Amino acid sequence: MSRIKEFNLPDLGEGLTEGEILAWLVKVGDDIELNQPIVEVETAKAAVEIPAKWAGRVQAIFHPEGATVEVGSPIIAIDTDPNAGPIEQSTTGAPAADLPTPSAASLAAVEVAPEEGMVEPGLIGGVAPGGRTAVLVGYGPRNAPAKRRPRKGGVPAQAAAAPAAPVQAAPAPAPVVPAPAVNGNGRPAGGPVLAKPPVRKLAKDLGVDLAGLTGSGPLGSITREDVQRAAAAPAAAEPLTVAAPVTAAASFGADREQRIPVKGVRKLTAENMSRSAFTAPHVTEFLTVDMTRAMKALDRLRERREWRDVRVSPLLLVAKAVLLAVKRHPMVNSTWAGDEIVVKDYVNLGIAAATERGLIVPNIKDAGRLSLRGLADAMTDLVQTAKAGKTSPADMSGGTLTITNVGVFGVDTGTPILPPGESAILAFGAVRELPWVHKGKVKPRLVTTLGLSFDHRIIDGELGSKFLRDVGDFLADPEAALLAWT
């Protein structure tokens, strides 16, 4: 059995078809242990560290960082018995045409270059640095010296190798050339401006017109001194003319465009949103709520000793309101399954989180069983893990109902699109101080706007309105709602 094992990119969940290699955690020649993380791969909205299936020594890495690899493709080769001596190489003299195409495992038997597609310096078939011979298995080293192409128009090799016999020839009489007419600038009349390329560049940099200079060089050529002298001379007075402003024509070419590959998070988001938007008939309702009492309740909660180290935000109360409203209206927490509707007794509460890789929606498993303190801790861990890019595919699968907090961006509300497989999503807007009629008087109050999108195949207008109203009632007076509902 071969000691070289090829490790294929595994399916990390949710029907993954490809992944992008973010970073290699090992390099060729490293000794690795079983289950040691060897590569970080970006999958469906998550960066996952993949462990090694075998212990051994890294022989080859097949894809560089940044490459997108299909599931099932080999990404690394590992020598599972590096202490057994050198790997046997084929010594057969069969012609190359009769040999099979070398596999990744056979390629791993030779010293590979640090980067894909690069070869270590050295002669063809000769010794490379370190005393190695860079050849493929089954292809012997080529010791023939490299041939050099003859120069175009050059002398044939045989003729160049033979010493040329001296030839004595009578000097030909020099032709008589009439002296050219010279203009006032010392150059032949009607001739071109004579100046070397460095002189022309100097004149261009200094803004000197060569055509108006008298050259002091051979045949009237212009020298650097001529250009520098002209640049230092005071310019002749000229009438001042003000040029009309010229507006450059707008260009709309590719030089003003940026093309961003659609992959990873963006690709998955696009697929999910398109499938949801054109599959589930969306309806969105809005409700404006006075959250002044809820915000005061949060202040009192933060002052309690057991809550001083806990992250307490208005989103926590929104999550609690949703969980309580689901208990009163279970149909909101369901899935359309074609010929049936699946109503779930558990709530995997999704919290949309903006990360550097894009928007992801991890969820808190069975959030309804948690106390308010447990819910606060779970939400803090969820957001911190997401922002660090360490959310696993399992944490993003199985969601049943989602909250998106658009208020953190200063937005009042929105019309969110349902995550696939869910029947409702709530948008929580910014909490603002606004004039509000309270007890018959206009007073400044802390107000927010909620937006509920739902699947109209499952949730009709009455059910959606009652659910949204209950969420609003809890946020308007959480203490009274808890007393009335629990």
Side-chain angles (χ1 to χ4, degrees):
M1 190 170 78
S2 175
R3 55 192 261 196
I4 303 297
K5 302 290 187 183
E6 293 182 354
F7 181 64
N8 299 335
L9 179 65
D11 183 353
L12 300 175
E14 294 189 314
L16 176 69
T17 60
E18 63 184 16
E20 179 182 352
I21 296 177
L22 296 180
W24 281 105
L25 308 179
V26 296
K27 60 182 182 296
V28 173
D30 283 357
D31 291 329
I32 59 176
E33 300 177 355
L34 178 66
N35 293 328
Q36 175 183 336
I38 57 175
V39 64
E40 185 178 18
V41 176
E42 184 185 55
T43 63
K45 299 188 175 183
V48 180
E49 291 183 353
I50 299 179
K53 294 175 60 177
W54 310 283
R57 182 170 297 157
V58 178
Q59 288 293 316
I61 291 175
F62 300 138
H63 302 280
E65 295 179 356
T68 299
V69 184
E70 294 184 357
V71 169
S73 299
I75 58 175
I76 192 172
I78 300 173
D79 183 357
T80 57
D81 192 8
N83 298 323
I87 301 172
E88 295 182 2
Q89 301 187 18
S90 173
T91 57
T92 178
D98 297 335
L99 293 176
T101 302
S103 66
S106 63
L107 292 179
V110 302
E111 186 72 25
V112 295
E115 296 181 6
E116 183 179 1
M118 296 184 65
V119 180
E120 293 187 2
L123 295 176
I124 302 173
V127 179
R132 299 181 297 273
T133 301
V135 296
L136 294 179
V137 175
Y139 295 82
R142 182 178 180 181
N143 295 319
K147 295 183 179 180
R148 179 177 297 174
R149 293 187 302 171
R151 294 184 178 178
K152 185 176 181 180
V155 182
Q158 294 82 354
V167 178
Q168 301 260 344
V176 179
V177 180
V182 179
N183 60 12
N185 293 331
R187 294 190 303 275
V193 176
L194 301 179
K196 295 180 179 180
V199 177
R200 293 180 181 274
K201 182 178 185 306
L202 177 63
K204 181 179 180 182
D205 294 341
L206 298 178
V208 175
D209 183 8
L210 293 177
L213 300 185
T214 300
S216 61
L219 298 178
S221 62
I222 299 174
T223 64
R224 294 179 62 89
E225 291 74 12
D226 297 332
V227 175
Q228 292 171 348
R229 202 164 32 246
E238 296 181 0
L240 180 63
T241 57
V242 179
V246 179
T247 302
S251 62
F252 305 99
D255 58 329
R256 298 182 63 190
E257 298 175 348
Q258 181 183 11
R259 295 183 179 270
I260 302 174
V262 178
K263 59 183 181 179
V265 175
R266 180 58 54 197
K267 183 176 181 180
L268 182 71
T269 301
E271 293 173 352
N272 287 343
M273 294 300 97
S274 297
R275 183 168 68 251
S276 177
F278 295 103
T279 301
H282 285 56
V283 173
T284 305
E285 292 186 337
F286 305 98
L287 179 65
T288 304
V289 181
D290 177 6
M291 284 191 61
T292 305
R293 289 183 179 177
M295 300 301 286
K296 291 180 179 179
L298 285 178
D299 291 338
R300 293 195 299 272
L301 190 62
R302 295 186 185 100
E303 293 174 356
R304 297 184 65 88
R305 181 169 48 198
E306 61 271 27
W307 282 81
R308 288 176 183 172
D309 297 330
V310 182
R311 179 180 174 82
V312 178
S313 69
L315 183 61
L316 175 62
L317 288 185
V318 175
K320 188 63 175 179
V322 167
L323 295 172
L324 290 175
V326 165
K327 290 183 178 180
R328 293 166 58 82
H329 310 283
M331 186 68 74
V332 172
N333 188 50
S334 59
T335 298
W336 181 268
D339 295 335
E340 58 186 4
I341 297 173
V342 181
V343 183
K344 301 171 182 178
D345 293 334
Y346 57 90
V347 180
N348 292 341
L349 184 63
I351 305 294
T355 70
E356 292 182 356
R357 293 188 176 93
L359 179 68
I360 67 173
V361 188
N363 61 78
I364 301 171
K365 298 294 190 286
D366 205 2
R369 62 178 174 79
L370 299 176
S371 64
L372 187 63
R373 173 61 186 268
L375 185 61
D377 292 339
M379 292 175 62
T380 299
D381 293 342
L382 178 146
V383 173
Q384 291 179 348
T385 303
K387 290 187 179 298
K390 301 299 182 181
T391 303
S392 67
D395 291 336
M396 292 186 292
S397 63
T400 63
L401 199 151
T402 295
I403 300 172
T404 175
N405 185 11
V406 297
V408 296
F409 306 110
V411 176
D412 290 332
T413 191
T415 57
I417 297 177
L418 293 168
E422 299 182 20
S423 61
I425 178 172
L426 180 73
F428 174 42
V431 180
R432 304 181 185 277
E433 189 175 53
L434 297 174
W436 190 266
V437 177
H438 178 66
K439 295 181 179 180
K441 297 181 180 179
V442 177
K443 296 182 179 181
R445 304 286 286 181
L446 297 174
V447 178
T448 189
T449 301
L450 306 174
L452 178 70
S453 292
F454 51 86
D455 186 344
H456 216 346
R457 297 174 299 181
I458 303 173
I459 304 173
D460 56 23
E462 179 184 9
L463 176 59
S465 300
K466 288 181 177 180
F467 176 82
L468 183 59
R469 180 200 62 197
D470 282 356
V471 173
D473 287 347
F474 181 90
L475 295 178
D477 194 345
E479 295 158 325
L482 285 173
L483 291 173
W485 299 346
T486 59

